[in-house]
Amino acid sequence: MLVVKISLFIQVIVMAGLIFSQPDKFEPLRQRMVKTQIMDRGITNSAVLNAIRKVPRHLFIPKEYEEEAYNDYPLPIGFGQTISQPYIVAYMTEAVKPSAKKKALEIGTGSGYQAAVLAEIVEKVYTIEIVPELAEASSERLKKLGYKNVECKFGDGYKGWPEHAPFDIIIVTAACEKIPVPLIDQLAENGRLVIPVGAPSAVQELELVTKKNGKTETKRLTFVRFVPFKRL
Ligand code: SAH
C-alpha cells in the first residue's frame, strides 16, 4: 500500500514538473525566427541571438496579434505606435555591442521588448516613454516578467536621463530630424548610440554615434522606418 502511495506521489510530482517546465507554444516559432529572419541576414553576436531566443515576444503585443508575434514585420501596440520588426531589434542591439558590465539608455520604451532584449545582456537598462499609457503598461509587463534590472519612466526622452548618465549604450527607437544634443552629451567615453535620423513621414537612416577622447564620430548604417520622435 505504501509503495503504491509513494509511486502515485512520484507520478504526480513528475506530471506537475512536466506541465510547469513545458516551453511555451511559441518556442519553435521563436527559434525559427532567430534562424531565418536574424541569423540568415547576418547577425552573429551570440549574446544578442541568445537574448532574442529567450524573450517571449508574444507577451509584448496585444493579444489579437499574438499569433503574428514572430513574423517578419512590425506590429501595432496601440496609441499609433509599433513594436519594431524582430530583425531591426537584433540589428540595433548588435550595433551597440552590448555586454554584461554596460549601462544602457533606451528612448521609446513602447512595448518594453527592446528593453527586455537589452536587459538579458547588460547590467542595467533605463528606458523612457512619452505616451503615459504605454509607459505604465510596459513598466508593469517588465516587472511581471521578472526584469529587475530595468528602470522605466514616463517623459520626453529628448533630455535623456542625466541622473544616471553617462551611458555606454543609447538606443533611440523613434525617428528624429536631428540627434538630440543631450543624448550625445550623456554618451560615455567609448559609448555607442544608435538612432534613426530623418523626416518622420519618410524612410530614415539608422546612424551610429561613437565617442572617443570626447569626440564623436557618426556612421550611417542602413535605411529604416520608425514612428516619429515626439516632444512634450
Ligand atoms: N522600443 C519599442 C518600440 C517603440 S516605437 C519596443 O520595443 O516596443 C517608439 C516609441 O517611442 C513609441 O512608443 C513612442 O511613443 C515613443 N516616443 C516617441 N517620442 C518619444 C520621446 N520624445 N521620448 C520618449 N519616447 C518617445
Side-chain angles (χ1 to χ4, degrees), residues 15-25 27:
M15 273 176 59
L18 273 176
I19 289 165
F20 288 109
S21 70
Q22 281 228 336
D24 63 77
K25 68 166 183 163
E27 177 78 23

Side-chain angles (χ1 to χ4, degrees), residues 2-16:
L2 185 66
V3 174
V4 172
K5 267 190 185 162
I6 290 173
S7 83
L8 209 70
F9 179 71
I10 291 171
Q11 268 180 36
V12 168
I13 296 279
V14 169
M15 273 176 59

Side-chain angles (χ1 to χ4, degrees), residues 6-150:
I6 290 173
S7 83
L8 209 70
F9 179 71
I10 291 171
Q11 268 180 36
V12 168
I13 296 279
V14 169
M15 273 176 59
L18 273 176
I19 289 165
F20 288 109
S21 70
Q22 281 228 336
D24 63 77
K25 68 166 183 163
F26 292 100
E27 177 78 23
L29 287 180
R30 190 159 57 244
Q31 302 312 321
R32 197 168 70 206
M33 169 189 86
V34 170
K35 171 78 180 75
T36 60
Q37 298 173 35
I38 296 175
M39 293 173 77
D40 288 356
R41 288 190 183 129
I43 304 295
T44 56
N45 182 311
S46 58
V48 174
L49 295 172
N50 285 338
I52 294 176
R53 278 189 191 109
K54 197 167 160 202
V55 179
R57 185 174 159 92
H58 61 282
L59 299 181
F60 288 80
I61 54 171
K63 198 94 181 127
E64 59 192 297
Y65 298 112
E66 194 183 59
E67 299 295 328
E68 295 174 69
Y70 298 95
N71 292 358
D72 196 12
Y73 44 78
L75 286 167
I77 54 170
F79 308 92
Q81 308 305 323
T82 54
I83 180 173
S84 308
Q85 178 192 10
Y87 170 67
I88 291 296
V89 175
Y91 185 93
M92 289 174 85
T93 313
E94 186 172 69
V96 294
K97 298 201 169 150
S99 63
K101 292 271 178 292
K102 291 189 178 175
K103 183 163 69 163
L105 172 69
E106 181 197 22
I107 309 301
T109 319
S111 68
Y113 178 72
Q114 170 74 76
V117 169
L118 273 172
E120 290 287 346
I121 310 169
V122 305
E123 191 167 287
K124 181 90 194 189
V125 180
Y126 295 92
T127 179
I128 308 174
E129 171 55 54
I130 205 166
V131 175
E133 293 88 347
L134 288 176
E136 200 185 323
S138 55
S139 169
E140 279 297 306
R141 175 177 298 123
L142 288 161
K143 224 177 279 164
K144 224 168 94 187
L145 290 171
Y147 288 100
K148 293 196 174 68
N149 59 339
V150 184

